[in-house]
Amino acid sequence: MHSTVQVDVPTGGINWQVATSITEHPFLSLALASIAYVLYRIVDFAVVEPWLNPLKVLPGPPKIGRIFDLTHLRYAMDPMMSHVKQEEFVREYGKNICIQGFGFWDQRLLTFDTKAITYILSHRNDLYPKGWQTRLLLSRLLGEGVGFVEGEQHKRQRKIINPAFAPQVLRSIYPVFHAKAEELRDRWNGLISKENNVLDINHWVGRATFDAFAEAGFDYRLHVIQNEDHELYLAYKKMFDLAVNKGQTIRGFLELYFPWIDWVFPNHITRQVKLSKQIIRQSGEQVIREKRNAILAENSSQFDSEAQPRLQKDILSLLIRSNLSEKQKISEEELLAQINSFFFVGSDSTAMSICWTLYYLSLHPEIQTRLREELLPHAPFSSPQCPDIDTFPFLDAVCKEVLRVCPPVQSTLRVAAQDDIIPTEDGQGVKIRKGQFIHLPMEGLNISKDVWGQDAWEFNPDRWFNLPETAKHQPGVMGGLMTFSIGSHSCPGQKFAVIEMKSFIATLVTSFVFAPVPDKKILKVNVIITRPFVSYEWRKGTQLPMIVTPYVPESTSSAPLSSNTCN
């Protein structure tokens, strides 16, 4: 039994009996400390942060004031409305705009200022890493691959990865893309009939690019185009279908802030994602082990070069070889993460770009016809006598235009790692505090009327033959496009993606005619990347139904396209 002490303190009136009781009850102390912390955070969020926020001096749309009102974020990140709202914002408020995040305390910078963007992404990207929400969401699924890490870890991984995407490497895998495009063509020819000519382009192109990247990236033959029951493909598909859909739920939002929800209250989504990750990991460990052993055997005197002529031509083999030759190596865990992130970027993102290209061509039949006329004399593109797929000017213009009007990544989120002043075109600069978010609108910059002209929102491949001067001076790694970002965090495989995209488009457009389904309205939805959804069919997930009919030249009979030869 403990005794309490009553002490009179004339200056403060402190009741030492209460104080002594608190110190002898640790749970009570913890509860009071937790309450005090919560109250502190509420006051900090609701009073201190808004008052000290340097962004409040910037112009912007009226503050909403309500908690968890996402109106401004929709203006910044919803591709169905962002182009209209962002154009209005720039006209009314200028290029550096203060918008509201999740509540009135969460004021963010939305910038169209190219000097500020270049500073953030290129000159001082170490001070502006990706937002923790983005990194947590993707790293939980894919691991810490080069696209999701920062600082020295990113520099080390990028140094190892760069040789795997050298021009001579990409040229050696062209035949894989052409072969997979032709395999998809043949598969469609077996499915299409007069009674059934509507295909879900998203489903089939996703299977084909997954197949293509497995072979080009890892020399791994899955045959997913023919049969989608391969364990690895299904693991990826189920994981992303569930994770993407989960990200649109209240639970998915809460899990970003409270990750323990997943293991304290698991559900069928949690269990399936966990199972998928186990399958993917086992497959990754096996292929890394096989590739490493093959490389070590190659370096030994027992290696038979004639027996293994394909060795070392895939991206993973080159990555492992590069890693073995470096002093600062990346770990086994990081290698596994590269496989996951490469599959995501190399198959999923590229598949979306191919889908959107076919969609825009279906809406513009005259452009589709013109592209077909450029390509037909040179089909099939797998023939050694055919010109390089990069040499067709209108194909190049069409692909660039799709990447302009519908970049896979609609926008990117950065966070200030310390207090800073961001330089701006007007010389005023923008003061920002540590922890504040910055929205960089990739799509908004790609379709800005100030940069690309009054027809910036229209699909017009011809603009690439006479770009306005403002577009020529726009930052970007490909013709003033922000699609692949800039600086050290720009996409290392952007050339890989474009070549794969062109290879599939060339074969499919010379083999089929694409038209929209009349009663299906296609929506652009930003779920990690910009994906096609059918209006009022949200529960069905990502889909892109289109009418697909075999192309038959007017001057010939219905001879198969594969009989065409190169000039």
Side-chain angles (χ1 to χ4, degrees):
M1 180 181 296
H2 73 273
S3 60
T4 59
V5 180
Q6 181 72 41
V7 180
D8 292 329
V9 183
T11 56
I14 300 175
N15 190 326
W16 287 99
Q17 182 178 7
V18 175
T20 305
S21 298
I22 290 174
T23 60
E24 295 187 4
H25 292 79
F27 290 109
L28 179 60
S29 300
L30 180 61
L32 290 174
S34 300
I35 293 171
Y37 177 75
V38 170
L39 290 173
Y40 160 73
R41 294 303 297 170
I42 291 173
V43 172
D44 187 48
F45 270 134
V47 180
V48 178
E49 284 291 337
W51 184 60
L52 295 178
N53 189 350
L55 297 178
K56 66 183 180 181
V57 301
L58 293 178
K63 305 301 181 289
I64 300 168
R66 295 188 297 271
I67 298 177
F68 299 126
D69 190 308
L70 307 183
T71 301
H72 287 188
L73 291 183
R74 288 192 67 199
Y75 294 163
M77 302 173 66
D78 184 348
M80 292 302 294
M81 67 167 64
S82 58
H83 60 295
V84 176
K85 286 297 181 181
Q86 290 175 7
E87 193 74 26
E88 292 176 2
F89 286 175
V90 172
R91 292 280 180 266
E92 188 168 353
Y93 307 117
K95 293 186 176 181
N96 294 294
I97 305 158
C98 180
I99 63 171
Q100 180 174 300
F102 288 112
F104 59 86
W105 65 85
D106 182 13
Q107 304 303 314
R108 305 181 177 194
L109 172 63
L110 172 65
T111 181
F112 293 82
D113 191 306
T114 55
K115 188 172 184 178
I117 291 167
T118 301
Y119 176 82
I120 292 166
L121 292 179
S122 186
H123 298 162
R124 295 306 307 272
N125 62 75
D126 56 318
L127 294 183
Y128 296 94
K130 292 183 178 68
W132 64 266
Q133 297 97 329
T134 303
R135 285 184 285 136
L136 180 61
L137 174 63
L138 294 177
S139 64
R140 283 169 61 187
L141 296 176
L142 304 172
E144 296 188 339
V146 68
F148 320 122
V149 295
E150 303 289 341
E152 290 302 318
Q153 187 179 12
H154 177 269
K155 292 178 183 178
R156 181 164 42 83
Q157 290 188 12
R158 186 70 182 245
K159 184 178 180 182
I160 299 292
I161 287 168
N162 280 341
F165 291 100
Q168 64 270 23
V169 176
L170 296 179
R171 189 168 297 279
S172 71
I173 58 180
Y174 282 15
V176 174
F177 296 148
H178 293 313
K180 290 301 175 183
E182 291 176 357
E183 186 179 349
L184 180 62
R185 175 203 64 197
D186 296 343
R187 190 79 167 86
W188 283 2
N189 275 326
L191 292 172
I192 296 170
S193 65
K194 291 182 178 179
E195 296 76 24
N196 183 18
N197 62 354
V198 176
L199 296 178
D200 180 4
I201 301 298
N202 172 79
H203 171 75
W204 283 101
V205 171
R207 286 169 62 169
T209 55
F210 196 92
D211 227 1
F213 194 83
E215 185 167 340
F218 313 117
D219 196 20
Y220 210 51
R221 288 158 182 76
L222 304 181
H223 307 292
V224 175
I225 295 175
Q226 301 301 328
N227 194 333
E228 61 177 333
D229 63 357
H230 192 283
E231 185 181 45
L232 180 61
Y233 170 74
L234 290 177
Y236 267 100
K237 186 176 186 300
K238 289 177 181 178
M239 182 175 73
F240 274 100
D241 284 350
L242 290 171
V244 165
N245 291 333
K246 184 176 69 169
Q248 306 305 304
T249 65
I250 295 175
R251 174 173 171 136
F253 172 78
L254 290 175
E255 284 173 2
L256 284 177
Y257 293 86
F258 308 104
W260 48 265
I261 291 176
D262 256 355
W263 54 269
V264 174
F265 304 106
N267 59 9
H268 74 285
I269 294 177
T270 305
R271 287 187 285 270
Q272 181 57 60
V273 169
K274 182 179 180 180
L275 177 61
S276 292
K277 289 171 69 175
Q278 289 175 347
I279 294 170
I280 293 166
R281 182 181 184 87
Q282 290 168 0
S283 298
E285 288 174 341
Q286 178 183 345
V287 72
I288 288 174
R289 183 167 56 251
E290 291 173 355
K291 293 297 178 186
R292 184 184 287 114
N293 290 341
I295 292 170
L296 294 175
E298 181 190 32
N299 296 334
S300 70
S301 58
Q302 288 81 28
F303 179 73
D304 184 354
S305 59
E306 292 185 0
Q308 301 186 58
R310 285 181 53 82
L311 197 59
Q312 311 309 321
K313 291 186 179 181
D314 60 275
I315 290 174
L316 180 60
S317 292
L318 293 167
L319 195 155
I320 293 173
R321 176 185 286 278
S322 175
N323 193 42
L324 290 172
S325 66
E326 289 288 336
K327 292 182 180 179
Q328 289 189 324
K329 296 177 170 56
I330 62 178
S331 66
E332 185 90 359
E333 199 67 31
E334 289 175 301
L335 272 175
L336 284 168
Q338 305 317 317
I339 293 178
N340 289 343
S341 58
F342 284 171
F343 259 122
F344 172 66
V345 177
S347 66
D348 196 42
S349 298
T350 307
M352 291 301 102
S353 294
I354 295 170
C355 287
W356 286 119
T357 303
L358 296 176
Y359 173 71
Y360 277 104
L361 290 175
S362 76
L363 299 180
H364 299 83
E366 71 288 352
I367 295 175
Q368 184 180 164
T369 298
R370 181 176 162 193
L371 177 61
R372 186 177 295 112
E373 289 173 350
E374 176 186 72
L375 296 170
L376 266 175
H378 308 286
F381 304 96
S382 57
S383 170
Q385 287 75 41
C386 280
D388 193 307
I389 197 68
D390 249 352
T391 61
F392 300 109
F394 197 58
L395 174 63
D396 185 67
V398 167
C399 291
K400 284 181 177 177
E401 186 69 352
V402 171
L403 292 170
R404 185 186 72 85
V405 298
C406 191
V409 179
Q410 189 264 354
S411 60
T412 185
L413 185 67
R414 292 292 190 270
V415 61
Q418 67 182 45
D419 294 356
D420 195 18
I421 298 177
I422 301 172
T424 55
E425 295 172 9
D426 60 10
Q428 298 295 315
V430 172
K431 290 184 178 180
I432 194 163
R433 291 185 67 197
K434 178 181 178 179
Q436 289 190 307
F437 292 111
I438 305 163
H439 286 268
L440 303 178
M442 304 308 199
E443 183 186 68
L445 292 161
N446 280 358
I447 59 175
S448 169
K449 292 182 179 180
D450 289 339
V451 175
W452 300 91
Q454 289 305 303
D455 68 340
W457 296 354
E458 299 174 14
F459 180 72
N460 177 20
D462 280 321
R463 77 175 72 251
W464 291 94
F465 300 114
N466 186 26
L467 282 179
E469 288 300 316
T470 47
K472 293 178 182 178
H473 295 94
Q474 179 89 339
V477 296
M478 187 176 72
L481 294 180
M482 287 295 295
T483 303
F484 298 104
S485 191
I486 58 173
S488 62
H489 280 264
S490 62
C491 176
Q494 59 98 2
K495 186 66 175 176
F496 181 102
V498 172
I499 291 299
E500 183 178 11
M501 183 180 175
K502 289 180 177 180
S503 299
F504 274 90
I505 294 300
T507 294
L508 296 177
V509 167
T510 53
S511 305
F512 305 99
V513 177
F514 298 89
V517 179
D519 60 342
K520 301 287 186 181
K521 180 181 180 182
I522 305 301
L523 306 177
K524 290 181 180 179
V525 180
N526 182 7
V527 277
I528 303 181
I529 59 177
T530 301
R531 302 175 188 274
F533 280 71
V534 176
S535 181
Y536 298 110
E537 295 184 13
W538 176 262
R539 291 184 179 275
K540 293 183 179 180
T542 306
Q543 54 175 332
L544 182 58
M546 292 177 63
I547 298 172
V548 183
T549 54
Y551 171 72
V552 179
E554 294 180 0
S555 59
T556 65
S557 63
S558 56
L561 283 174
S562 57
S563 64
N564 293 331
T565 56
C566 293
N567 290 340

